[in-house]
Amino acid sequence: MQEKLDEIRRSVQEQLLAAGDSAQVEQIRVSVLGRKGELTALLKGMGKLSPEERPIVGQQVNALRQEIEAALAAKEAELQEKEKQARLEKEALDVSIPGKPVKVGNVHPLSSTLEKIITIFTGLGFSVVEGPEVELDHYNFELLNLPKNHPARDAQDTFYFNENILLRTHTSPVQARTMLSQKPPIRIICPGRVYRVDELDATHSPVFSQCEGLVIDEGVTMGDLKGTLDAFAQAMYGEGIQTRFRPSFFPFTEPSAEVDVTCAACKGAGCRICKGTGWIEILGAGMVNPHVLEMCGIDPERYTGFAFGIGIERVTNLKYNVPDMHLLFENDLRFLSQFGKGRV
Ligand code: PHE
């Protein structure tokens, strides 16, 4: 019997030495300790022994069983440790490898110009109002004194969806909507994208951005308009910048003006950018036409107001001496990354 037990012990030891993974260890366990295992068979055969032998053999078999269980557990633990080591080696990180640089973008020049415009006007007490880019003819033209077939519509020929729905040609419809929904005093700016059937050239694009403004209250005069735009031009381009009003025509303002600022590049001396005049046009403005006030439900006897429309691309290009507005739309990183040093 002792020999048989020694043989089993040796055989298990040999097999364990050769075992390379948990599945093999399990196989050994089944072949020795399982229901049909060698040691189990020995225990089952104990009935045939004499009553004196039985407890002795029983003890020996149990001792071997415990020994084998311990050996199996030890092997299992050893294998798990090895597997862990192998996994750790495979997953090893070299923390000394230099990181990949993360490309940090910068604010688009049009956005930073708009941010600056908004900061200036909110500082003057204006609030920001937005409206739809797909607009009704009624708000885009009719309420602004541009009835159907009015010749001034030609200057803003637009993209129509049908007779009544179009892509807005300016952000003035937001002003009409505001006048209809708010009572004076009104002091708003309306930034946003606008669309016109324009040829692509250095200063025109079928899509561009505007920031229009509207002030309505009792006793508002052209002096207020000039003072506001002076304050804007100086905050935008620096002190010493002047504005110049030239008579113009818009159906929704009377009188109307086109407004120039001192050319920032030559400080008014005259250069290539301002074509030698010392001035650059940046916006249209005027006193709100009383007929527009009336159509929008505001009493023109009691209230007056002024409005202006700033071209954001214009203002941006002037600030940075950018020769072609399309550079602002083409998203060429070689151009855009030059504005990485922050805002206007
Ligand atoms: N809406 C005009 C345009 O887009 C600009 C403007 C606004 C002019 C307000 C005068 C007053 O051309």
Side-chain angles (χ1 to χ4, degrees):
M1 177 54 76
Q2 188 61 51
E3 265 167 37
K4 180 77 188 152
L5 292 177
D6 285 346
E7 194 193 311
I8 295 176
R9 175 183 291 114
R10 212 176 322 110
S11 146
V12 167
Q13 278 168 354
E14 268 169 24
Q15 288 183 67
L16 274 180
L17 262 182
D21 60 34
S22 322
Q24 284 170 2
V25 175
E26 177 61 13
Q27 238 173 33
I28 301 168
R29 196 186 65 76
V30 172
S31 72
V32 185
L33 306 178
R35 263 198 306 138
K36 291 182 181 151
E38 285 175 88
L39 211 58
T40 318
L42 278 186
L43 278 172
K44 278 184 186 157
M46 284 213 332
K48 292 184 199 127
L49 298 175
S50 66
E52 297 82 46
E53 275 177 318
R54 230 178 274 161
I56 302 168
V57 172
Q59 229 174 28
Q60 286 173 337
V61 171
N62 272 331
L64 180 59
R65 180 194 185 89
Q66 277 167 15
E67 192 186 321
I68 291 176
E69 273 170 357
L72 287 167
K75 181 73 185 185
E76 184 64 33
E78 179 196 317
L79 284 174
Q80 272 178 14
E81 182 60 26
K82 258 196 200 145
E83 276 163 28
K84 192 168 118 192
Q85 284 304 334
R87 209 170 54 234
L88 285 179
E89 261 163 47
K90 217 169 77 193
E91 288 173 0
L93 282 183
D94 182 350
V95 289
S96 66
I97 293 177
K100 290 190 185 129
V102 178
K103 279 197 179 156
V104 180
N106 52 271
V107 179
H108 192 283
L110 281 180
S111 303
S112 63
T113 303
L114 179 57
E115 270 177 40
K116 176 91 180 177
I117 293 175
I118 289 176
T119 306
I120 295 170
F121 282 107
T122 49
L124 291 171
F126 286 70
S127 32
V128 179
V129 183
E130 289 183 312
E133 289 178 26
V134 176
E135 187 51 285
L136 294 173
D137 186 280
H138 183 64
Y139 295 107
N140 192 83
F141 287 133
E142 285 181 32
L143 284 180
L144 299 169
N145 219 14
L146 279 143
K148 289 209 162 65
N149 304 320
H150 190 292
R153 281 194 180 206
D154 290 349
Q156 300 196 357
D157 208 3
T158 187
F159 299 100
Y160 285 90
F161 291 94
N162 60 34
E163 217 182 300
N164 295 317
I165 303 176
L166 44 81
L167 288 176
R168 66 181 180 192
T169 56
H170 45 186
T171 60
S172 309
V174 184
Q175 306 184 3
R177 286 171 176 274
T178 306
M179 285 188 270
L180 286 169
S181 64
Q182 284 181 28
K183 291 206 176 331
I186 292 172
R187 213 173 287 130
I188 56 159
I189 50 170
C190 336
R193 227 167 251 144
V194 300
Y195 304 84
R196 292 186 195 177
V197 183
D198 271 340
E199 292 299 324
L200 278 170
D201 65 30
T203 51
H204 292 90
S205 154
V207 49
F208 58 103
S209 358
Q210 282 189 332
C211 184
E212 296 208 353
L214 174 73
V215 171
I216 296 181
D217 203 349
E218 289 179 20
V220 174
T221 68
M222 190 119 181
D224 297 315
L225 170 61
K226 294 182 93 170
T228 304
L229 293 180
D230 274 348
F232 164 71
Q234 292 191 6
M236 192 74 202
Y237 295 109
E239 273 172 35
I241 294 290
Q242 292 184 326
T243 55
R244 178 174 79 166
F245 281 57
R246 281 179 292 110
S248 183
F249 172 79
F250 298 105
F252 30 87
T253 46
E254 183 58 40
S256 303
E258 267 164 49
V259 181
D260 304 333
V261 293
T262 315
C263 174
C266 62
K267 301 275 178 283
C271 67
R272 202 170 50 85
I273 293 172
C274 58
K275 300 195 179 82
T277 63
W279 297 98
I280 302 245
E281 183 201 325
I282 57 161
L283 54 88
M287 299 306 291
V288 181
N289 190 315
H291 188 219
V292 170
L293 291 178
E294 209 167 356
M295 281 190 288
C296 293
I298 291 175
D299 179 2
E301 297 298 326
R302 182 168 170 201
Y303 294 106
T304 49
F306 65 77
F308 55 87
I310 302 170
I312 299 178
E313 286 80 5
R314 271 271 166 97
V315 171
T316 307
N317 288 355
L318 242 185
K319 180 94 190 169
Y320 297 116
N321 290 340
V322 178
D324 185 333
M325 75 189 283
H326 296 282
L327 289 164
L328 296 171
F329 304 133
E330 282 163 356
N331 288 336
D332 185 334
L333 287 180
R334 289 169 302 178
F335 171 72
L336 292 178
S337 58
Q338 297 176 59
F339 300 87
K341 292 280 175 283
R343 295 152 193 233
V344 186

